[in-house]
Amino acid sequence: MLSEVGYFSLAMALGFAVFQFISPLWGGLRQDNRWHKLAIISARLQFFFVSAAFITLITAYVTCDFSLLNVFMNCHTHMPLLYRFAGAWGNHEGSMLLWVWILSLMGFAMTFLKSNPSLVRGAISIQGLMCVIFIAFLWWGADPFLTLPFTPHEGQSLNPLLQDRGLAIHPPMLYLGYVGFSAVFSFAIAGLWLKKLDKDWAVAVRPWALFSWACLTLGIALGSWWAYYELGWGGWWFWDPVENASLMPWLAGTALIHTLRVMEMKGQLRGWSVLLALLTFAFSLLGTFLVRSGLISSVHAFATDPHRGIIILAIIAFLVGGGFLLYALRLPRNSNSTPLQFMSREGAITINSLLLFAGLLTVTWGTLYPLMLEAISSKTVSVGAPYFNATVVPMLFPVLLLIPLGMELTWGQSSFKRALEKALHTFTPTMAIGVIILYFIDPQPVVSIIAASLALWLVVSSLYYGIRQGFMAQLPMILGHIGLGVTILGIAISTAWQQESNVTLTLGETTELQGYTFRLDDITQGNGPNYLYEKAQIAVLKNDQQVTLLMPEKRLYLPQESMQTETAIYTNGLINLYGVLGSHLGHKAWAIRLHYHPMVSWIWWGAALMALAAFLALRRRMRTI
Amino acid sequence: MMKAKHQRLLWISVVGALLILSATLILSAFDDNLVFFYSPTDLQSKTIHPDQRIRVGGLVLESSLQHNGTQISFTISDQVNMLPVHYEGMLPDLFREGQGVVVEGHLQDGQFMAQSVLAKHDENYMPPEVAKSLKEHGVWRHAE
């Protein structure tokens, strides 16, 4: 039954998407406003039916309707309600449906815009075209509503790694980011087609870019946090191709939200902004392709069917190729805008966007090279973390130096000397204090000491700017840059000063790490809803005072019989203690891994601040519309 | 105020400098950090310098896993040749005898010193590299 409802909804959505695509074009040709109304109605109905399809799949999951192949493969009656709910997008087909739902949601949101009617119509039409393509892909390439010839009594359950609170929220957030940029892409295409790429275009596009960027930032941060506590390796970023796939649109999007600001203020950087708009969505699509094609080994590679990969690749080639062709043919040349001032805020923003772009190129090269090499030579290689650290980190330093300087420079003609003086007010004391303190703690990791001090300077100089210029006037900018500083501070310090210890402990035995004493008190066993567990109780003491009790678990998930560690993490905001329970080594001895991570949680708090800043900027924009 | 011509010149040099910077960074970092993948059979005919970081993949040989405190050793095989592996630390959850695994580290006197053991994410999952090399040696059977 639910399968038919799903198919019906998708078919209706596909039909309305076709109308949404065609009627603005037709209306434009005929100069007839009724067609535009039809486009708006189609976009709304299309969203309604995609939502109906999505809700149908969720219902099938929640009620464990095993007549659907997809539900049978990924659901189980013993799974807690939250994971049955979130399981709807914990698989290839379901996640593509979520993807399409957000694509449709963006088109729906556009129908409420009042200003720039011709541009918005164009964007709604392009959004409709993408919905047609992706609903068709869903129907023929990734069908979530396939039925089984009989109804099994029990399903095969979800990969235990995905049975986690983070999973419920990470994919929707990440997809809001990825697919949110589809709206930016649609506006770029519409602007190119209509040759309307002026300040108004930038004003119209920037809210979409801010929203998507904020969601992408949160999505990446949640993914990294999930990897940190769920994978149990003590790391939060592995330069895994899937992680890089989300970082690439983030880098392009970060450059974009800044160059759009220049375009709003000065009407400059038009070509560069439009190119970045196209690139950001191109990289979002590439991310989807990399993750969904099964080309790379990862938890995200649900599909290992190469045909799907080829279809997605063809769709990307069509959309991105079409976008760039239009860019080459229709970008209005040689407008009368004044040349870009080098020593100005827009100059600093431009240099930083170029640095971000250079970072994007190196990450892309390192991520795609193994795939290209394998395609042409059948050699298998991987590009390790050292490559990315050696290329991305050096580019971070000029970025960190330029942001505070750029904030002190004013729009248009600006005095570099004045800005430098203001920047040095905070630079000299912060760097002196930062370097001295960290050097006395441990002089070894020079790069981290400098990076952490620069990040601290970014925070301090942003605050200094706020104190002098008033916080409210430029709150999003100040907050966003503080967030970046906090994140980099967390990265630099946790990477340089983390400690790890692999030990074998018998009951009652203790071990030391970084001034903390860890004592294995007890090991208990029991049953969870769909797993058996073994749980350790590790008392953590400092100066004979108990700080906390870490209770890491090992779980055996029953339907799959697969093992899964649950880490135990203690945090006081400044440091994290992280415990993992290993295997039983006999004679009441267990393998235990302990980590000490200073300031690691600042990485995610900083990301949250950055996202908050973008949402604040968005809110200010909404008020002025 | 600078002349428009000078501004443009300045911009061109900035873009040029950044291009050179990123090209230099990529080229200098790239070669040292490429990690090639081999099967145990490949290693029979290749000489790998002990400093070179490589990946090796295959199936974990049944009942080859030995614990000695946190010291771990096991053997991986592509059903043709075998390679003994040493590792210190905790094995990933999905590490199982008889299943596919990829190890990364250094080859020393015919023994593999692993720095990391990758057996990730899914109990039915075979790392693509391992699947490919098993297929090449004709011992691939599709996972049930």
Side-chain angles (χ1 to χ4, degrees):
Chain A
M1 225 295 274
L2 285 174
S3 165
E4 281 82 14
V5 177
Y7 282 128
F8 172 77
S9 306
L10 276 186
M12 294 298 280
L14 184 59
F16 282 115
V18 172
F19 273 108
Q20 182 188 343
F21 167 48
I22 291 173
S23 45
L25 300 180
W26 194 247
L29 282 178
R30 304 281 298 263
Q31 301 289 329
D32 187 342
N33 246 332
R34 284 175 302 174
W35 289 98
H36 301 317
K37 289 212 176 89
L38 181 65
I40 284 178
I41 294 167
S42 308
R44 290 180 186 171
L45 283 171
Q46 194 250 103
F47 176 65
F48 172 79
F49 281 109
V50 174
S51 305
F54 191 41
I55 290 168
T56 306
L57 187 68
I58 292 174
T59 311
Y61 265 87
V62 170
T63 59
C64 293
D65 183 345
F66 297 123
S67 65
L68 294 182
L69 173 66
N70 191 272
V71 180
F72 166 71
M73 295 293 282
N74 300 293
C75 194
H76 192 282
T77 48
H78 289 180
M79 252 157 60
L81 181 66
L82 175 67
Y83 305 143
R84 270 187 277 147
F85 186 78
W89 54 79
N91 59 84
H92 174 70
E93 290 79 7
S95 72
M96 287 314 297
L97 183 54
L98 175 65
W99 209 93
V100 169
W101 183 73
I102 295 169
L103 195 65
S104 178
L105 172 70
M106 291 295 142
F108 176 73
M110 281 178 196
T111 63
F112 295 96
L113 293 178
K114 294 280 181 285
S115 44
N116 289 309
S118 62
L119 187 68
V120 170
R121 273 177 225 145
I124 289 177
S125 170
I126 301 299
Q127 200 73 18
L129 173 65
M130 286 194 280
C131 287
V132 172
I133 293 172
F134 280 97
I135 294 172
F137 169 70
L138 201 63
W139 189 285
W140 283 288
D143 186 349
F145 296 112
L146 268 183
T147 49
L148 289 166
F150 57 93
T151 304
H153 289 296
E154 193 50 274
Q156 296 192 328
S157 195
L158 189 66
N159 183 343
L161 268 178
L162 303 179
Q163 297 190 31
D164 179 83
R165 281 158 301 151
L167 171 81
I169 185 75
H170 159 65
M173 247 335 161
L174 196 65
Y175 275 21
L176 274 173
Y178 275 165
V179 191
F181 281 113
S182 70
V184 176
F185 180 82
S186 291
F187 272 103
I189 300 290
L192 283 168
W193 185 258
L194 300 165
K195 295 210 173 190
K196 261 183 69 83
L197 293 166
D198 45 13
K199 285 187 184 180
D200 289 342
W201 179 84
V203 172
V205 171
R206 198 153 177 266
W208 301 90
L210 283 170
F211 172 79
S212 314
W213 184 84
C215 293
L216 189 59
T217 307
L218 283 180
I220 294 172
L222 282 166
S224 138
W225 183 51
W226 170 84
Y228 176 71
Y229 72 75
E230 185 69 17
L231 294 182
W233 300 334
W236 48 270
W237 191 265
F238 302 94
W239 293 108
D240 180 279
V242 171
E243 292 167 331
N244 295 347
S246 65
L247 187 64
M248 291 189 285
W250 188 84
L251 289 170
T254 309
L256 176 68
I257 54 175
H258 288 86
T259 61
L260 280 176
R261 179 85 184 119
V262 175
M263 207 174 152
E264 266 180 359
M265 294 293 289
K266 309 289 294 179
Q268 293 165 321
L269 293 184
R270 194 185 45 194
W272 182 221
S273 299
V274 176
L275 187 64
L276 283 172
L278 296 177
L279 273 177
T280 308
F281 187 55
F283 276 106
S284 297
L285 285 169
L286 184 72
T288 310
F289 165 70
L290 280 180
V291 172
R292 291 283 160 257
S293 63
L295 268 180
I296 44 184
S297 30
S298 125
V299 67
H300 299 81
F302 305 126
T304 38
D305 174 4
H307 296 295
R308 283 169 173 169
I310 287 171
I311 298 172
I312 303 182
L313 198 59
I315 295 174
I316 296 178
F318 170 71
L319 288 176
V320 176
F324 286 130
L325 190 67
L326 211 57
Y327 182 79
L329 297 176
R330 308 270 308 181
L331 186 72
R333 272 170 226 287
N334 227 359
S335 68
N336 303 323
S337 69
T338 45
L340 194 65
Q341 286 281 326
F342 194 81
M343 294 296 183
S344 64
R345 182 173 290 175
E346 61 267 32
I349 287 179
T350 310
I351 298 175
N352 252 357
S353 72
L354 289 168
L355 281 164
L356 285 166
F357 186 70
L360 171 66
L361 287 184
T362 64
V363 174
T364 310
W365 175 251
T367 309
L368 296 186
Y369 180 82
L371 293 175
M372 294 191 295
L373 186 73
E374 200 171 345
I376 55 176
S377 76
S378 86
K379 273 189 193 145
T380 314
V381 295
S382 55
V383 177
Y387 163 79
F388 294 101
N389 291 335
T391 53
V392 175
V393 174
M395 288 187 204
L396 197 65
F397 289 100
V399 171
L400 283 177
L401 281 169
L402 265 169
I403 296 172
L405 209 54
M407 283 195 287
E408 296 298 348
L409 288 163
T410 51
W411 297 102
Q413 238 180 318
S414 173
S415 158
F416 181 69
K417 216 176 131 208
R418 208 201 110 263
L420 192 65
E421 272 169 19
K422 290 272 184 272
L424 284 177
H425 284 171
T426 47
F427 181 79
T428 325
T430 317
M431 290 303 282
I433 292 168
V435 170
I436 288 169
I437 291 178
L438 292 174
Y439 187 84
F440 271 102
I441 293 175
D442 176 12
Q444 281 305 318
V446 180
V447 176
S448 299
I449 290 177
I450 297 172
S453 304
L454 280 175
L456 187 64
W457 177 48
L458 177 53
V459 175
V460 173
S461 61
S462 302
L463 289 171
Y464 182 58
Y465 180 87
I467 290 166
R468 283 178 308 131
Q469 308 282 334
F471 278 99
M472 287 323 285
Q474 309 244 28
L475 190 58
M477 177 184 88
I478 295 169
L479 210 57
H481 290 160
I482 291 178
L484 180 67
V486 168
T487 294
I488 292 174
L489 206 56
I491 293 173
I493 289 188
S494 69
T495 316
W497 287 284
Q498 60 184 336
Q499 299 280 337
E500 177 185 336
S501 138
N502 275 295
V503 288
T504 310
L505 288 184
T506 51
L507 285 181
E509 199 179 354
T510 61
T511 181
E512 300 274 330
L513 179 68
Q514 203 65 25
Y516 291 89
T517 308
F518 296 80
R519 186 182 65 220
L520 180 63
D521 279 350
D522 199 7
I523 298 266
T524 51
Q525 287 163 342
N527 294 314
N530 53 349
Y531 56 84
L532 307 173
Y533 67 83
E534 188 170 59
K535 189 193 286 186
Q537 287 187 27
I538 303 168
V540 182
L541 304 115
K542 187 164 196 177
N543 307 327
D544 293 324
Q545 297 275 315
Q546 178 154 339
V547 180
T548 184
L549 195 63
L550 291 177
M551 295 200 277
E553 286 178 41
K554 269 190 106 59
R555 292 180 182 172
L556 180 69
Y557 278 82
L558 286 172
Q560 298 99 331
E561 296 205 353
S562 64
M563 286 298 261
Q564 169 71 47
T565 46
E566 288 290 309
T567 55
I569 300 170
Y570 162 78
T571 180
N572 64 6
L574 215 52
I575 59 133
N576 280 17
L577 301 173
Y578 183 106
V580 186
L581 176 62
S583 31
H584 183 209
L585 301 172
H587 309 293
K588 299 210 164 158
W590 277 266
I592 285 172
R593 184 153 43 86
L594 299 164
H595 296 256
Y596 164 83
H597 293 137
M599 288 177 79
V600 72
S601 41
W602 287 42
I603 297 170
W604 303 297
W605 287 118
L609 273 181
M610 284 190 261
L612 178 67
F615 281 127
L616 278 178
L618 178 68
R619 195 162 148 252
R620 296 191 165 192
R621 235 124 267 267
M622 305 284 269
R623 240 185 267 152
T624 57
I625 285 173
Chain B
M1 181 186 172
M2 271 190 277
K3 283 189 196 137
K5 199 172 151 195
H6 290 163
Q7 297 266 7
R8 202 162 301 135
L9 219 64
L10 207 51
W11 279 116
I12 292 170
S13 42
V14 165
V15 173
L18 279 175
L19 276 178
I20 293 168
L21 171 79
S22 40
T24 319
L25 282 173
I26 292 181
L27 289 176
S28 65
F30 201 63
D31 275 348
D32 302 339
N33 294 309
L34 269 189
V35 182
F36 281 85
F37 175 89
Y38 301 100
S39 68
T41 303
D42 293 337
L43 292 178
Q44 298 290 318
S45 54
K46 279 220 162 61
T47 41
I48 306 283
H49 193 269
D51 286 343
Q52 197 187 340
R53 203 176 165 86
I54 58 169
R55 283 186 175 193
V56 182
L59 300 174
V60 182
L61 202 66
E62 295 284 354
S63 57
S64 71
L65 179 63
Q66 281 179 349
H67 280 278
N68 182 6
T70 52
Q71 300 284 337
I72 289 160
S73 62
F74 56 90
T75 305
I76 57 177
S77 120
D78 54 10
Q79 315 278 44
V80 182
N81 283 289
M82 289 190 262
L83 178 71
V85 179
H86 299 276
Y87 177 65
E88 179 169 8
M90 211 176 272
L91 289 169
D93 294 328
L94 295 167
F95 182 94
R96 236 34 102 64
E97 290 184 336
Q99 299 230 346
V101 71
V102 174
V103 289
E104 187 172 321
H106 303 271
L107 191 65
Q108 280 170 8
D109 308 322
Q111 309 257 329
F112 196 82
M113 302 300 162
Q115 257 120 44
S116 57
V117 175
L118 315 165
K120 48 181 176 179
H121 296 334
D122 187 338
E123 69 280 8
N124 293 320
Y125 173 75
M126 180 70 81
E129 301 92 326
V130 176
K132 206 177 103 194
S133 93
L134 289 178
K135 271 180 192 153
E136 273 164 16
H137 299 110
V139 289
W140 169 257
R141 58 198 158 77
H142 195 72
E144 286 90 330

